[in-house]
Amino acid sequence: MAYNCKHGVAAGLHWLRTYSKTQSKTQQSIPSDHATWNAPSFYLPQDRDIVQKLQISQRQGSRQQAATRLRLAGSEGAQILEQMLLSQRLILADYRTLQTGQRRALSWQWQASNSEQRLIAELGDLTHWQPIAVTPPYYLDRDNAAMGEIATPLSGSQLTHLYNMPPVPNKQMAITAAQLRRVFTPKQLPLTEDPQLIKESTPIPHLTLTMVPGVNGVQLQW
């Protein structure tokens, strides 16, 4: 997946980085409102808000991430992604523009074999898709050049973690199921058999006040 390089956000970001390097030599800052920018012709008004949000997302990431790529995450990432889709600013490597796909409900299935069990994420009749780790999560359907929201109580990072989970050997399934249930509720992730979890409780000491006849005061009993 790439940003549309013919016009709009990607070209604007390339120009933005070039402008930033030039201005950093003279210790001048880029105007936050973009009002005084000598922007190129391909930088359209609808790109302005997207670029500003991408800049904020870039600053919040690590320096290494900011230098190599722009990472979309969380609710802010979902908002940026939606704006790009609505303004047709996202294209695939084969130059097909991504369209907004329908909202699809996520379901989980455990696929069992003789030696292991694999967790499979399903989105209806979609066969080739991958999750986008924003919140709410999105899916990328390359076959139909579409991207849409996933209906799930999971966050984007949680969904991606489960989507990439390796197969579980049958002999380790009971332990893995207990670990998964401590993190995910039955609504978030169904299991082939729910483990019986024992909640540990820390003993709380109590003091009992007892009146002792003939003694001036009280006696404490543990």
Side-chain angles (χ1 to χ4, degrees), residues 112-132:
S113 67
N114 293 333
S115 60
E116 63 186 22
Q117 296 192 39
R118 180 185 294 271
L119 182 61
I120 305 296
E122 296 182 347
L123 289 180
D125 57 352
L126 288 186
T127 55
H128 301 96
W129 64 276
Q130 64 185 80
I132 308 297

Side-chain angles (χ1 to χ4, degrees), residues 11-24:
L13 285 173
H14 175 73
W15 172 81
L16 172 83
R17 287 167 176 161
T18 304
Y19 183 91
S20 300
K21 291 178 181 178
T22 302
Q23 294 302 312
S24 63

Side-chain angles (χ1 to χ4, degrees), residues 141-213:
D141 175 14
R142 293 180 180 273
D143 292 343
N144 300 301
M147 184 179 290
E149 182 181 338
I150 299 176
T152 173
L154 297 169
S155 67
S157 59
Q158 288 175 324
L159 171 56
T160 303
H161 180 76
L162 292 173
Y163 181 87
N164 294 317
M165 189 175 75
V168 181
N170 288 335
K171 60 182 180 181
Q172 296 180 7
M173 190 60 201
I175 297 175
T176 302
Q179 293 173 338
L180 289 171
R181 184 54 73 231
R182 289 190 179 96
V183 179
F184 302 102
T185 66
K187 184 179 180 181
Q188 292 176 318
L189 177 66
L191 298 173
T192 54
E193 184 177 349
D194 266 300
Q196 297 296 324
L197 299 181
I198 300 176
K199 294 184 178 180
E200 297 181 357
S201 59
T202 303
I204 301 176
H206 292 81
L207 294 176
T208 303
L209 298 179
T210 304
M211 298 298 297
V212 179

